[in-house]
Amino acid sequence: MNATATEHLPVVVVGAGPVGLAAAAHLLDRGLEPLVLETGSAAGAAVREWGHVRLFSPWGEVVDPAAEKLLAPTGWVRPDAASYPTGRDWAEHYLQPLADALGEHVRYGATVTGVARAGRDRVLDAERETQPFVVHVDHADGRQERLYARAVVDASGTWRTPSPAGADGLPALGEHTAADHVTYRVPDFDDPAVRARHAGRRTAVLGSGASAFTALASLADLARTGEGTDTKTVWVLRRGISANTFGGGEADQLPARGALGLAAKAAVEAGHAEAVTGFRTTEITRTADGRPVLVGEDGRQLDPVDEVVVLTGLRPDLSFLSELRLALDERLQAPVALAPLIDPNQHSCGTVYPHGHRELSHPEQGVYLVGMKSYGRAPTFLALTGYEQVRSVAAALAGDLASADNVELTLPETGVCGGAGLPLTSVATSGNAEPVTAGQGGGCCGS
Ligand SMILES: Cc1cc2nc3c(=O)[nH]c(=O)nc-3n(C[C@H](O)[C@H](O)[C@H](O)COP(=O)(O)OP(=O)(O)OC[C@H]3O[C@@H](n4cnc5c(N)ncnc54)[C@H](O)[C@@H]3O)c2cc1C
């Protein structure tokens, strides 16, 4: 099949999350035909799974311009730009109306299980670039389908592949058998059943990002309610606690994100959470009555807990892209040109240089990983970044390189860059963590 023959084919977008739907709006705006394939039964299926969590970005920063243009004729009114939606608000008041406005361009219950060049595995060169892509789809009704596409925009996120409790990056021994007491999501305390699992009981929280802060703050709130007299949290950290650990606080240009770190710090200072530092989980054993016990690489065993909340990060599912020639960074599994800009070993300021189709390109022309997935295992992705990515990618696919290259992006800084981070007053810790110097991983991006 020659190149011109593929031009009538759709651009397949994997995932009807915020960035996938924005991609579809930009593609339509460019006169291209998007086909969004979503494994879930509704728009924002992943976002709905953390629907109880309030975003730290206001509405004004989580609505895509092309999406808003598409929604305008439907009478959609953007909520107050300065107010903060929950994940559920985002899904119900923006993502679903957007998907509805995209109409037959969105298919639900459609799980992408493979993407390749038609008739060619990743080895074969012959006429590769002129072949369309094929996308293998499992439908919720059991049907399987093989679709042709002129290009593929993978916006399938990282929500469905959380990192494990094991400090090696592998599941800890016994982690799977303890699954009845292990969750990889911020607990939803609006749900009485979830509340009962934590109220008056002992919970271990693993991780040190925004989600872990949210869990620590919510558990402290639960403890303050006095529901179940002795709600206790043990906060398990691989490293020590430094000025950067709790984020930028008031220096964070996203106040709600800064407030998360402050709330977590207050939870530790108030004794609602005991921080255990330098603890690298290698095993989860069980007591005779089934309570999980975390075992560290140094042989330490923590006191038994009732629940383990693992919020150690998310990672991309690359399994269905195995037949494509991708250039991904060995650390982050993000596109090689983007990775150095977002590497948490180097950067914690949250800003990232404007980037678009070029940084997101691969040896396999015509395939782009965008949105949360483009950041691989890096933790600082913001929707604003994804919206600019897909604006640039859609322009490139429409052949408008001038616009595609004209990338603009200004992101709110975390305040952990130039700022000294948060002064450590009386953060109680136990453990033998190696000291962490302020600013470790705090390289300045801006300057
Ligand atoms: C708790 C939490 C709070 C956050 N708060 C903010 C915030 O305040 N501000 C901000 O800017 N960002 C925030 N983010 C980061 C980010 O903006 C969101 O994760 C956003 O949802 C990412 O959008 P996405 O479209 O890239 O991925 P997702 O929202 O994860 O969407 C991917 C979609 O792809 C679907 N999918 C996955 N695999 C397949 C497959 N094989 N086939 C078909 N469909 C598939 C999923 O069901 C999902 O609907 C937050 C993230 C989390 C987890």
Side-chain angles (χ1 to χ4, degrees), residues 94-115:
Y94 167 64
L95 298 174
Q96 197 59 56
L98 174 55
D100 297 347
L102 286 162
E104 90 278 348
H105 294 289
V106 181
R107 295 196 192 153
Y108 302 108
T111 305
V112 171
T113 57
V115 181

Side-chain angles (χ1 to χ4, degrees), residues 15 18-19 37-39 47 55-57 110 112 155-156 160 372 382-383:
V19 180
L37 301 171
E38 167 57 50
T39 185
V47 171
L55 277 74
F56 47 69
S57 300
V112 171
S156 60
R160 303 202 179 289
M372 194 79 165
L382 291 175

Side-chain angles (χ1 to χ4, degrees), residues 58-289:
W59 271 112
E61 294 178 13
V62 291
V63 171
D64 173 74
E68 188 158 4
K69 188 172 154 200
L70 186 72
L71 280 163
T74 68
W76 181 81
V77 178
R78 180 210 290 230
D80 164 20
S83 65
Y84 292 86
T86 61
R88 195 171 295 116
D89 298 333
W90 202 19
E92 288 172 1
H93 303 314
Y94 167 64
L95 298 174
Q96 197 59 56
L98 174 55
D100 297 347
L102 286 162
E104 90 278 348
H105 294 289
V106 181
R107 295 196 192 153
Y108 302 108
T111 305
V112 171
T113 57
V115 181
R117 283 283 185 183
R120 283 139 185 83
D121 63 15
R122 68 184 292 150
V123 176
L124 211 58
D125 284 346
E127 298 176 331
R128 187 178 186 85
E129 294 303 329
T130 61
Q131 301 310 307
F133 290 93
V134 288
V135 179
H136 288 215
V137 185
D138 282 359
H139 290 281
D141 62 8
R143 277 178 312 114
Q144 287 194 315
E145 193 178 9
R146 187 174 175 273
L147 291 167
Y148 285 107
R150 62 182 286 168
V152 174
V153 175
D154 180 358
S156 60
T158 55
W159 176 251
R160 303 202 179 289
T161 32
S163 300
D168 314 325
L170 303 168
L173 304 183
E175 182 169 340
H176 290 155
T177 42
D180 51 342
H181 289 284
V182 177
T183 178
Y184 301 86
R185 310 299 188 215
V186 174
D188 178 2
F189 292 127
D190 299 336
D191 176 340
V194 173
R195 220 176 158 79
R197 292 177 78 97
H198 296 273
R201 308 181 86 196
R202 191 173 151 78
T203 298
V205 173
L206 283 67
S208 57
S211 291
F213 293 163
T214 307
L216 289 173
S218 317
L219 283 159
D221 290 345
L222 189 61
R224 274 189 283 271
T225 64
E227 223 177 300
T229 45
D230 207 13
T231 300
K232 277 282 175 235
T233 304
V234 54
W235 182 27
V236 181
L237 294 139
R238 285 189 296 190
R239 297 191 301 168
I241 288 188
S242 78
N244 292 344
T245 300
F246 295 101
E250 273 126 28
D252 192 324
Q253 292 176 345
L254 267 178
R257 182 175 56 191
L260 281 178
L262 292 171
K265 186 164 178 282
V268 174
E269 287 175 348
H272 291 305
E274 174 213 349
V276 173
T277 57
F279 192 94
R280 295 174 188 277
T281 306
T282 53
E283 186 170 3
I284 301 180
T285 61
R286 313 282 288 265
T287 59
D289 60 355

Side-chain angles (χ1 to χ4, degrees), residues 5-6 27 44 118 135 195 228 287 317 323 415:
T6 64
L27 290 163
V135 179
R195 220 176 158 79
T287 59
D317 174 4
E323 293 317 306

